[in-house]
Amino acid sequence: MGLLKYAILGAAAVYGFKYATKKRITDGKSLIDDFKEKVPEYVDRIKDYSEKIRQDYRQTSDLY
């Protein structure tokens, strides 16, 4: 049973990798390419969010 489970997981991983790297006909890009382009935007959002959390924490810690 364990071998069958690993075979199914391996097949799912290979299928997922192929799906993520398959190029679209319309623009010739894949999901991975889209993600690579959007990473800097995501990093900026995370930095803004972390700064907001720090400011909120400072405001609440100053009250006590």
Side-chain angles (χ1 to χ4, degrees):
M1 188 66 181
L3 183 61
L4 179 62
K5 178 175 70 173
Y6 288 122
I8 291 171
L9 287 175
V14 169
Y15 176 76
F17 180 76
K18 284 188 175 189
Y19 180 77
T21 57
K22 184 179 179 181
K23 304 288 184 182
R24 292 186 293 265
I25 296 171
T26 55
D27 60 357
K29 294 183 179 181
S30 67
L31 291 175
I32 301 293
D33 296 334
D34 293 340
F35 183 72
K36 285 181 188 176
E37 290 176 0
K38 293 181 182 181
V39 166
E41 179 184 333
Y42 294 150
V43 170
D44 290 340
R45 285 185 185 178
I46 291 170
K47 285 180 183 177
D48 293 341
Y49 187 70
S50 65
E51 187 60 36
K52 182 181 176 194
I53 290 173
R54 285 184 191 138
Q55 289 176 356
D56 290 346
Y57 178 74
R58 287 183 192 137
Q59 288 176 356
T60 57
S61 64
D62 290 342
L63 295 175
Y64 297 109

